[in-house]
């Protein structure tokens, strides 16, 4: 394997998922359920409380952390609104927008196969219980 290859791919195309591979933190971000749900909601700019109301079960702390990570990774932008009290609005960046299509395919796949997966879980759980 070449030391300069940041992804850990060697000459023989054997992939090694190195600990320092730059894809790891990105995959961690985009595979996170709250990140994906936030990005799915941001078809238009939204304020924090509207996002929180539409994401049943998310805590304020987790939503804040999720939004900060998405902003840090360039997926969303945060805009301070000149209102009283001061408001904040979140929207997708061009980079975040570019993830909507592949995410849409993943979401469609989960909906299409959801019942099959639930059946597999029930079968597995019934075997595990015996």
């Amino acid at each position: 394997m070449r030391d300069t290859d940041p992804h850990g791919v060697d000459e023989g195309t054997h992939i090694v998922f190195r600990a320092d591979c730059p894809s790891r933190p990105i995959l961690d971000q985009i595979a996170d359920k709250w990140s994906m749900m936030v990005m799915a909601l941001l078809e238009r700019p939204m304020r924090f409380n509207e996002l929180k109301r539409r994401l049943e079960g998310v805590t304020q702390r987790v939503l804040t952390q999720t939004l900060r990570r998405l902003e840090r990774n360039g997926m969303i932008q945060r805009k301070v609104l000149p209102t009283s009290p001061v408001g904040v609005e979140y929207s997708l960046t061009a980079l975040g927008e570019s993830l909507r299509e592949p995410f849409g395919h993943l979401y469609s796949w989960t909906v299409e196969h959801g019942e099959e997966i639930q059946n597999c879980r029930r079968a597995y759980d019934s075997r595990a219980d015996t």
Side-chain angles (χ1 to χ4, degrees):
M1 182 175 358
R2 295 176 294 145
D3 290 331
T4 57
D5 184 356
H7 304 289
V9 180
D10 70 9
E11 298 287 326
T13 68
H14 299 286
I15 297 175
V16 176
F17 294 102
R18 291 178 29 178
D20 62 346
C21 178
S23 67
R24 283 191 179 194
I26 298 165
L27 288 170
D28 180 51
Q29 170 79 68
I30 63 175
D32 174 70
K33 72 177 178 183
W34 295 119
S35 295
M36 291 289 77
M37 289 183 201
V38 165
M39 292 185 64
L41 286 175
L42 288 177
E43 292 177 355
R44 61 174 175 75
M46 296 176 95
R47 292 175 74 155
F48 182 91
N49 285 330
E50 184 177 4
L51 286 166
K52 187 168 181 334
R53 278 192 302 275
R54 299 203 42 205
L55 290 169
E56 190 173 301
V58 72
T59 64
Q60 183 163 334
R61 178 178 168 268
V62 168
L63 181 55
T64 298
Q65 290 172 340
T66 299
L67 291 167
R68 285 182 182 158
R69 287 177 60 206
L70 286 168
E71 183 181 13
R72 181 173 183 248
N73 287 330
M75 301 292 176
I76 65 170
Q77 61 185 5
R78 179 180 185 269
K79 179 181 175 185
V80 178
L81 303 172
T83 58
S84 181
V86 173
V88 177
E89 185 177 77
Y90 297 92
S91 60
L92 291 177
T93 62
L95 184 60
E97 199 58 58
S98 73
L99 187 55
R100 287 182 70 78
E101 183 180 352
F103 170 69
H105 292 296
L106 177 60
Y107 180 76
S108 295
W109 183 90
T110 62
V111 170
E112 181 180 335
H113 297 283
E115 188 174 334
E116 181 181 353
I117 292 168
Q118 289 297 324
N119 291 337
C120 290
R121 287 179 175 179
R122 283 191 285 275
Y124 179 90
D125 291 346
S126 68
R127 287 191 311 269
D129 290 340
T130 58

